[in-house]
Amino acid sequence: MDEAGWHALRRARASYDEPFETNPDGSYRPRITVNPINEPYTGSYHQASTSSSSGTWAPPPGPPPGSSANPPGYYAHANHPPSWMPNEEKMAFEGKERPTLSAIERSNSYGRLDRMEPHLQFLCGPLLRYDTVYAGKWHGAILIVTADAGSVYSPHPRVALVWDPLRPRPARLASSSSGSHYLSPASTLTPSPGGSHPGALYGGVQYGPPPSAPPSWTPSEYAGSSTVLADDIYVYHGPYGSCTFWRMMIEVPLGEAEMTVAYRINGGHEICFTVPGREQNLRWAAYSVDGLDGIDPNPGRHKMLSTLIGGAGAWIPYPSHSILTYMGPQTWMIMLDCRAERTLNRVCSEATYRRMFDRLWELPASVKHIVVQLGIPIAYPRMNFLETALESSFNPFVALGKKNKMGMGTLVNKFNMDAELLDDLMDHWTAKNHKKERNWFVEQLQSFALLKKVRITFLSGDVHCAAVGVFKTLSSSIPVNPVVDHRYMLNVVTSAIVNTPPPAGVQTMVASLSDKTHKTMHYAQTDEAMIPIFQQDTDGKPPKSKNIMGRRNYTIVEYDSQTQELFFDIRVEKTKGIGTTVGYWIRAPAPGWNV
């Protein structure tokens, strides 16, 4: 579904190849006319007040002599239709008085920021990565990318951390959101009115002034600090010079309650993040994006404590890197590397599965939930008929693509001339080449859940749609209560946070397949289906599909200490580009069966 379509590619190429129009003097004529930005005059050029036919631009007239009034602002017509912004957001913008400060005044209003000494020319970062909690300490890393030209590396780049359980936390921006929900048959949750649920904190941002800075703070006797030197883990040489990737491994001892940690790189601007208390479960979010990390090719060794080193890949000259990480006393997450060892007929090697289950069996008895993160959904509508059609040598589109005829060359890949979409389909757990391994993996997790008494939940992305699939015990009459059903495993699919949804035709096809009954695992007393979580669209109207939502999204995950359920709040973008989201809720019940 990542392929935008050959029609779009053909139109883009045709547009690119169009000859440029020229003016009488030989200069090129622009294809798109860009109007001035919608803000008061602050030094840029604006249209003259006189109706001149010359098309020249000039700043507006200044104030009369002796007047302290600011010059009148000029607001150009936008290049987009008036309806691009929902009414509530539009009113929020229009209700604010637009500032008319000069550039110097705007800069001075923020005060003087701390500057790095020595200076580092940042290209990216700092990016904060959480690793795990081990021996009562929060472990993580900070990544920065700096341009070698303009940066000073002597003394060595460093990060200074300060933490104090008595330090006040920074204020948050107010937020607004709306939500829908789906309750499992055994859920003890009743719908929360309005935005009273904690998930409502993660909606669209309410426009207004930035949050006030915390009051002046004096470290208490419980405060701690550390300084960590950066490791240069990679150097990139590009056409405009070289840049260095720096990683700083950090650890913070946890206290009784959540705590703010502040850090500065080379004494620069202070940045804060929060770590949980020792007995608190993390509140976290998931989205369909890959991370960035250095690789240690030596099996069994890695900077990150959460990393599990698997077998040697068939095509990648490094072992697989899976991650088992602490998300709280009651929740752990295993992120399975399904890429390094993948072949046409295999997703993961026997060595990776063995090491994964060995580590899972070592988890403490207090664990109630294990989230298995897979890049591609494991319970999702099948598209086997399309897979068969693309494999056929009689498919006219693939035949034309192999010969690069009629602009269809992009339909096939350049490695083995198979259909490009076929590669995506064969990547899925539900592809016919992976079905046997998929079913075995699900059965192994069912047995583990039963004996360990933990709830297994899958978390996936990739498909650019939001959905929730489920495995459950097969029953011909009354459904088994999910609380006592060790086979009850949700597959929360959250994708994508940036990329746009697949074309409407693809969404319609997937939605039509989502109601199909699959008997693949009936031999193991296991049924699977899609849950109709989307009872209404983001605007309150009936949805195109109750099983599939083709909008940008991400998911908030939180442990409910009262019910011991794991709460998943899928935040779906209400209107493209605005940031307001609508929540669709579902809960993974606590394990309630007897061992």
Side-chain angles (χ1 to χ4, degrees), residues 324 356-365 448 452:
L324 177 62
M356 166 189 158
F357 280 106
D358 286 347
R359 288 291 300 273
L360 290 179
W361 279 109
E362 295 173 356
L363 294 179
F448 172 79
K452 189 71 171 177

Side-chain angles (χ1 to χ4, degrees), residues 446-467:
Q446 289 175 347
S447 299
F448 172 79
L450 175 64
L451 298 177
K452 189 71 171 177
K453 196 177 180 180
V454 295
R455 177 69 64 193
I456 302 292
T457 303
F458 298 101
L459 184 62
S460 309
D462 182 76
V463 293
H464 294 193
C465 290

